[in-house]
């Protein structure tokens, strides 16, 4: 609500909708995932200590298997993060197209363009589903690896324990099996915790781009009426523009400013209190952009603009 329209031009409607729904929900789930990330290894360590008391150094088989799976799961987590980023980009495009489609549904019906727009939506949706499918397959692989780990640990531990010349007793076996089952919980939960952390990181990076946009400051955008050249403090003006230029591109994107195809330049205008002014011109000539510049929704690059008492706000009613 406090960011100008020119700053929000970097984000489509679909992106903003996903910021408010999917991304914020993922960041909200970061808290439980974060505490699970340190508590699950703690549970795992305590269980291994108890196993050491039962089977001695044979428990190292479980440690070795766990260490060997760490780089594998790290690789899977990185790939899941990449697919999540691409999936969210495709989702932004799909939501944006759906918003445009619904806003213009009457025209689409009049001209019988349903098939064309259906194909566009399906194309973007198929790309989103492709990334989603890849992510889910990796999720399944990650879960499979951690689900089979307790079985491998128990088998190797008992084999090594026997090969070291020890004798398995019923009490030792049942106690060890109970401890192995205690490993199942942390090991099975860890992939979901890892995925939650990765998704929260992806969403946090997306939200940072949105929250990093500068807020509109009327004191910087508007000049005082009597500070403008050629304007007397006694003159009863409501709006004054002096050699103003406006663009849709925010200042922090100065490297892209040279590629900006639309802007308003060298505008000088004064409107008296109570004066009725009509703004006319062909489609795309900048009528709406001119009105946006009076509201501070455009980016002022040159000149000075002043409105009467901007701190009170400006009433604006669209057609």
């Amino acid at each position: 609500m406090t960011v100008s329209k020119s700053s929000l031009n970097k984000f489509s409607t679909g992106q903003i909708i996903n910021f408010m729904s999917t991304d914020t929900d993922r960041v909200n789930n970061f808290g439980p995932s974060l505490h699970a990330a340190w508590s699950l290894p703690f549970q795992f360590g305590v269980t291994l200590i108890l196993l050491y008391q039962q089977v001695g150094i044979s428990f190292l088989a479980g440690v070795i298997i766990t260490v060997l799976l760490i780089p594998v799961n790290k690789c899977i987590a990185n790939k899941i993060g990449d697919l999540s980023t691409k999936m969210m980009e495709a989702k932004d495009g799909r939501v944006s197209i759906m918003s445009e489609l619904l806003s213009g549904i009457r025209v689409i019906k009049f001209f019988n363009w349903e098939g064309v727009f259906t194909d566009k939506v399906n194309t973007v949706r198929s790309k989103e589903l492709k990334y989603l499918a890849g992510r889910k397959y990796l999720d399944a692989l990650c879960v499979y690896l951690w689900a089979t780990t307790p079985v491998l640990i128990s088998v190797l531990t008992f084999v090594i324990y026997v090969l070291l010349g020890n004798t398995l007793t019923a009490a030792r076996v049942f106690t060890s099996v109970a401890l192995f089952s205690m490993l199942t919980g942390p090991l099975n939960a860890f992939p979901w915790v890892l995925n939650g952390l990765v998704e929260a990181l992806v969403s946090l990076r997306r939200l940072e781009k949105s929250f990093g946009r500068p807020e509109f400051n009327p004191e910087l955008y508007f000049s005082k009426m009597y500070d403008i050249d050629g304007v007397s403090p006694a003159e009863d003006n409501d709006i004054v523009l002096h050699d103003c230029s406006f663009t849709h591109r925010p200042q922090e994107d100065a490297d892209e400013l040279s590629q900006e195809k639309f802007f308003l330049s060298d505008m000088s205008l004064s409107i008296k209190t109570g004066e009725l002014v009509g703004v006319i011109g062909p489609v795309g000539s900048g009528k709406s952009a001119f009105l946006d510049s009076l509201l501070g929704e455009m980016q002022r690059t040159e000149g000075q603009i002043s409105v009467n008492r901007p701190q009170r706000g400006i009433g604006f009613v669209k057609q």
Side-chain angles (χ1 to χ4, degrees):
M1 299 301 294
T2 59
V3 178
S4 65
K5 189 184 297 183
S6 63
S7 292
L8 286 178
N9 277 340
K10 289 182 70 71
F11 309 106
S12 64
T13 303
Q15 284 179 299
I16 295 175
I17 291 174
N18 284 329
F19 288 158
M20 294 187 294
S21 57
T22 306
D23 289 304
T24 52
D25 186 58
R26 287 180 173 181
V27 174
N28 185 53
N29 292 331
F30 173 76
S33 298
L34 175 65
H35 290 292
W38 68 263
S39 62
L40 292 179
F42 176 75
Q43 298 176 35
F44 188 79
V46 171
T47 306
L48 288 180
I49 292 174
L50 295 175
L51 275 173
Y52 173 73
Q53 296 176 351
Q54 293 295 323
V55 293
I57 61 172
S58 301
F59 87 100
L60 291 176
V63 175
I64 293 173
I65 294 176
T66 304
V67 171
L68 291 177
L69 285 177
I70 288 176
V72 177
N73 281 276
K74 183 179 182 299
C75 181
I76 295 175
N78 291 338
K79 188 62 177 177
I80 289 175
D82 293 338
L83 291 175
S84 296
T85 302
K86 294 177 180 178
M87 186 190 73
M88 292 304 298
E89 292 174 354
K91 189 172 184 178
D92 291 338
R94 194 248 311 167
V95 175
S96 181
I97 290 177
M98 287 299 301
S99 299
E100 295 175 3
L101 189 152
L102 293 174
S103 63
I105 191 65
R106 294 177 64 185
V107 177
I108 293 173
K109 288 290 185 180
F110 287 154
F111 290 94
N112 195 25
W113 287 340
E114 294 97 328
V116 176
F117 280 90
T118 299
D119 292 339
K120 290 185 67 175
V121 173
N122 287 335
T123 300
V124 180
R125 178 61 175 162
S126 62
K127 185 185 297 185
E128 180 185 358
L129 287 174
K130 180 182 72 173
Y131 296 132
L132 178 62
R135 216 192 73 180
K136 290 301 179 183
Y137 282 127
L138 289 177
D139 284 344
L141 176 61
C142 198
V143 170
Y144 171 78
L145 289 175
W146 285 97
T148 55
T149 299
V151 178
L152 293 175
I153 291 176
S154 60
V155 171
L156 285 177
T157 300
F158 287 142
V159 169
I160 293 174
Y161 184 76
V162 172
L163 291 177
L164 290 176
N166 299 305
T167 303
L168 285 174
T169 62
R172 194 176 300 277
V173 169
F174 283 114
T175 303
S176 299
V177 169
L179 292 174
F180 288 136
S181 65
M182 291 174 59
L183 292 176
T184 305
L187 291 175
N188 287 342
F190 196 74
W192 304 110
V193 172
L194 200 61
N195 292 344
L197 293 175
V198 171
E199 289 178 349
L201 181 61
V202 171
S203 294
L204 192 62
R205 288 172 179 170
R206 285 165 51 86
L207 289 173
E208 280 180 346
K209 295 179 181 178
S210 173
F211 290 124
R213 311 311 293 177
E215 294 187 2
F216 174 67
N217 188 344
E219 295 182 358
L220 295 178
Y221 187 84
F222 295 109
S223 302
K224 296 185 183 300
M225 196 74 71
Y226 51 79
D227 289 339
I228 298 180
D229 296 338
V231 177
S232 171
E235 290 184 278
D236 192 14
N237 290 311
D238 264 354
I239 299 173
V240 175
L241 281 78
H242 180 68
D243 295 335
C244 286
S245 296
F246 303 96
T247 179
H248 283 296
R249 188 75 61 184
Q251 281 184 341
E252 57 270 22
D253 300 330
D255 56 330
E256 304 176 13
L257 193 57
S258 58
Q259 302 176 6
E260 182 66 44
K261 295 182 179 180
F262 178 82
F263 57 90
L264 304 175
S265 62
D266 301 329
M267 298 185 64
S268 295
L269 172 72
S270 62
I271 301 176
K272 303 287 186 182
T273 302
E275 189 175 4
L276 177 63
V277 178
V279 183
I280 62 174
V283 175
S285 61
K287 301 185 299 296
S288 298
F290 166 67
L291 296 176
D292 282 338
S293 67
L294 301 182
L295 300 174
E297 297 290 356
M298 298 281 284
Q299 183 67 45
R300 177 174 57 82
T301 57
E302 294 178 347
Q304 293 173 294
I305 177 174
S306 178
V307 297
N308 190 14
R309 289 177 292 184
Q311 66 273 14
R312 294 178 54 187
I314 301 173
F316 183 70
V317 182
K318 284 194 172 185
Q319 63 182 10

